[in-house]
Amino acid sequence: MRSRFPASLALVLLLAGCASPSPQPVTVNLALINDFHGYLEPNPALFDQGRKGQLMGGIANVGGLIDHLRQEDPQTLVIGSGDLIGASPAVSALWADEPTLQAMNLLGLQLSAVGNHELDNGQAELLRQVRGGCDSSRPAKACQFEPRWQGTRFPYLAANLLDARTNQPLFPAYRILQAHGQKIAFVGAVLKELDQVVSPKGLAGLKVMDEADSINAVIPELKARKVDAIVAIIHQGGTSLAGGPDCQDLQGPIVEVVKRLDPAIDLVASAHSHRAYTCHVGRMPVFQGGSYGQLVSHVSLQIDPHQRRVTGVQMENLPVVPGHYRPNPQLAAWVARVAAHSKTVLERPIARLGVSRLEPRYDTAGESALGDLIADAQLAAVRDQGAQIALMNSGGIRNQLALAPGQSRLTYAQLASCQPFANTLTLVDLTGAQLRELLEQQWSRDPDARPLQVSEDFTYVWDGRRPVGQRVVPGSIRLNGEALADDRRYRVVANNFLADGGDGAVLLKDGSNRRETAITDLEALERYLVQQDRLGTPAGQAESAGRLRRQDG
């Protein structure tokens, strides 16, 4: 008996070991969208050269692709990376973007980082959009599609966006979701340079902190909660020329943010730059899925449940091609309802165009024919108020103006998709010296920044080989053929975003004799197109007018 006991014990221990093998890796799948911008309907392809000009995206098709991913894994987590709304086509913007937020509810979106465009109309309006209600700064749009807006079913996250009065986060820093028994923490942040892309009115009462520092600050709390993976969702981006399945050449602001993140973070979902890439910065996987719902980023996390760590990450950007998957029927019905309700306004014909298509395509000097048209329209709208020069930021031009086959006049929807912000025009006086300094400021934030678009009869030459601050060729700035005089005052018009110092145009804030008008950029464009059409000279030309010249181009 004594000799058999140890053998029996050994057998029991051996069997126990066989019954409890080391746990197998668990796969958690994510589906992410970024920079959707209210594009509920399909729109021309931007990221698939093989489909150039064809339609991609559309929320019903996004939903169909995600339905397919859910068929393969019903526990797929659906996440947003910011700018779901704002700068939206008229079908969404007409109704304070409530149709898009409701579409995200129907999609089953589980959370999203805050993007800069969520703040286009300030924190009070964003909080209303999230919480529900009709007490809005935009009463002509809010609760006009449905009599009572119920709010979002998903939270926004922003670890670095604080209420300036209380110094507390405006939204939660993170949210933990579960899939296949694993706890996945998502930490959100918006780009810290919000003051460069959001108007002062939009940022009133808010304070923005460093992205990496704010994300890193919550990592100890997440570790204490024993999460299995940490995903940082940062509404900041970069660019990659390779853009392939594992690019190593990522550049831009997101790179420095990623380099300073806590090593406990497993993955970075980026946004804002509207680029498509699946890259690594060092060991860190970083990706972005283009914009406008044309791509869905699919990420698979391999997790060791015993050690609570991610052992592998697979990333891919899936094209949202109409017809590839059955559209989500609930979302298709919703979009059809929104489109039908909006039809009368959206399909209203406006005016003929001088060419069949005007794209935001820029020449070597940074000028575009579409930018010329918009600047001229803004100047014409307030010329009777003394305006001499109009300045337009290229980033505010959000879409092309193009006549479809058989279409004779542009519609309101097309104009609104090009100028979706409804920024009001602001007049200021600047001296010639201030104007020259303002033009130099264009490259102060980014040496490769695209110049401001300018109105007719205002011209200058710049040289990209010169250092920032000295790029405008001396004596080249002219108005009506005459060189600007440093001590003379000139009346300048710009949209209120620029006039408040947006896109780095800080000197416009210092302009004297400031006057806010009630005319929006969209109204100015409509008036100009109609006027030129009535004169028998429809506006728009095939090439830029040569108002900007680049000496080294």
Side-chain angles (χ1 to χ4, degrees):
M1 294 290 292
R2 291 180 63 186
S3 62
R4 290 174 58 196
F5 181 75
S8 300
L9 178 60
L11 179 60
V12 170
L13 293 174
L14 177 62
L15 291 173
C18 293
S20 303
S22 58
Q24 294 297 310
V26 175
T27 300
V28 173
N29 286 294
L30 316 177
L32 302 101
I33 57 175
N34 62 275
D35 298 281
F36 185 75
H37 288 291
Y39 275 75
L40 293 171
E41 299 175 308
N43 50 95
L46 296 171
F47 308 101
D48 190 327
Q49 295 304 309
R51 296 187 176 90
K52 189 70 173 176
Q54 297 181 30
L55 296 180
M56 291 182 67
I59 192 62
N61 297 312
V62 170
L65 193 158
I66 291 177
D67 287 345
H68 173 75
L69 296 177
R70 284 173 170 149
Q71 288 172 3
E72 296 181 341
D73 178 7
Q75 297 188 48
T76 296
L77 303 177
V78 183
I79 308 301
S81 301
D83 278 7
L84 303 177
I85 57 174
S88 307
V91 71
S92 181
L94 276 174
W95 318 111
D97 276 319
E98 291 164 11
T100 294
L101 293 173
Q102 177 62 8
M104 295 299 159
N105 290 338
L106 298 174
L107 183 68
L109 192 74
Q110 291 165 277
L111 57 85
S112 177
V114 173
N116 53 289
H117 281 288
E118 266 87 7
L119 290 163
D120 281 345
N121 296 285
Q123 64 163 310
E125 176 65 357
L126 177 55
L127 290 172
R128 181 199 71 83
Q129 290 172 310
V130 171
R131 297 170 182 171
C134 300
D135 184 10
S136 171
S137 59
R138 299 182 290 173
K141 295 183 176 183
C143 295
Q144 297 302 305
F145 186 79
E146 292 187 315
R148 184 69 183 176
W149 170 239
Q150 299 297 319
T152 64
R153 300 175 196 160
F154 60 90
Y156 273 103
L157 307 179
N160 64 330
L161 187 63
L162 308 182
D163 183 314
R165 182 177 56 84
T166 64
N167 224 34
Q168 296 299 309
L170 189 67
F171 295 102
Y174 68 86
R175 173 62 64 94
I176 297 173
L177 301 178
Q178 293 200 35
H180 301 290
Q182 308 305 298
K183 296 164 65 177
I184 316 299
F186 296 88
V187 189
V190 66
L191 69 157
K192 67 178 180 181
E193 300 89 358
L194 271 184
D195 62 333
Q196 297 177 11
V197 291
V198 177
S199 70
K201 292 179 182 176
L203 283 181
L206 295 174
K207 182 192 300 185
V208 190
M209 311 303 289
D210 181 82
E211 307 101 324
D213 291 346
S214 300
I215 291 172
N216 291 343
V218 303
I219 300 303
E221 185 176 340
L222 295 176
K223 288 181 176 179
R225 298 189 64 173
K226 294 182 168 47
V227 299
D228 300 287
I230 303 175
V231 178
I233 314 172
I234 307 173
H235 194 79
Q236 178 59 286
T239 60
S240 165
L241 294 178
D246 187 19
C247 59
Q248 304 289 329
D249 67 336
L250 190 62
Q251 300 178 4
I254 190 63
V255 174
E256 293 307 313
V257 177
V258 171
K259 286 179 178 179
R260 295 189 293 110
L261 289 176
D262 191 299
I265 294 167
D266 300 294
L267 173 70
V268 174
S270 68
H272 186 56
S273 58
H274 291 207
R275 300 302 178 94
Y277 49 78
T278 52
C279 293
H280 277 78
V281 175
R283 69 159 194 91
M284 185 71 75
V286 185
F287 67 92
Q288 184 179 166
S291 63
Y292 303 161
Q294 296 190 11
L295 300 170
V296 169
S297 299
H298 178 219
V299 179
S300 295
L301 302 175
Q302 302 294 322
I303 299 175
D304 182 329
H306 180 68
Q307 299 186 43
R308 288 199 179 96
R309 70 183 184 91
V310 173
T311 58
V313 177
Q314 292 181 316
M315 308 174 288
E316 58 181 340
N317 284 321
L318 304 176
V320 181
V321 180
H324 273 206
Y325 301 101
R326 177 175 178 260
N328 179 281
Q330 193 176 17
L331 284 165
W334 175 249
V335 173
R337 181 184 166 198
V338 174
H341 194 64
S342 311
K343 183 176 181 179
T344 302
V345 176
L346 298 182
E347 294 187 358
R348 176 168 61 88
I350 301 299
R352 292 179 296 165
L353 193 61
V355 291
S356 62
R357 181 184 301 273
L358 276 176
E359 298 179 5
R361 186 178 67 247
Y362 299 87
D363 61 23
T364 56
E367 181 183 349
S368 78
L370 181 53
D372 291 344
L373 170 64
I374 291 171
D376 288 348
Q378 294 182 8
L379 179 62
V382 289
R383 196 189 292 272
D384 61 351
Q385 299 181 44
Q388 299 166 280
I389 300 164
L391 304 176
M392 175 64 197
N393 54 315
S394 300
I397 305 172
R398 305 300 292 196
N399 208 344
Q400 64 182 356
L401 292 177
L403 295 168
Q407 182 183 359
S408 61
R409 283 176 165 77
L410 292 167
T411 65
Y412 177 84
Q414 290 169 311
L415 267 61
S417 69
C418 178
Q419 295 276 265
F421 299 106
N423 287 323
T424 54
L425 302 185
T426 301
L427 289 155
V428 297
D429 287 349
L430 295 177
T431 65
Q434 287 176 311
L435 263 169
R436 186 177 63 254
E437 187 177 349
L438 174 64
L439 295 178
E440 295 288 4
Q441 282 183 346
Q442 297 176 102
W443 301 284
S444 60
R445 291 187 299 126
D446 178 3
D448 298 318
R450 188 171 287 137
L452 295 168
Q453 305 300 291
V454 303
S455 54
E456 61 181 342
D457 298 323
F458 184 70
T459 60
Y460 68 92
V461 182
W462 66 282
D463 189 334
R465 296 168 299 188
R466 294 170 177 256
V468 172
Q470 302 175 37
R471 287 189 168 181
V472 178
V473 175
S476 70
I477 309 174
R478 294 181 174 273
L479 178 61
N480 298 317
E482 295 184 3
L484 254 64
D486 280 358
D487 57 352
R488 181 178 170 185
R489 292 192 177 276
Y490 300 89
R491 195 74 167 146
V492 178
V493 61
N495 64 60
N496 62 297
F497 169 73
L498 266 183
D500 288 336
D503 275 355
V506 180
L507 257 173
L508 277 173
K509 293 170 61 178
D510 299 331
S512 60
N513 195 23
R514 184 182 178 110
R515 184 176 185 277
E516 310 284 350
T517 77
I519 304 169
T520 69
D521 47 15
L522 177 57
E523 290 168 340
L525 181 58
E526 179 177 351
R527 289 181 191 178
Y528 186 70
L529 288 169
V530 169
Q531 179 188 38
Q532 294 302 117
D533 191 5
R534 288 174 177 170
L535 291 172
T537 55
Q541 54 192 25
E543 302 295 333
S544 54
R547 298 166 188 177
L548 310 185
R549 286 196 299 113
R550 185 169 179 175
Q551 195 161 268
D552 64 318

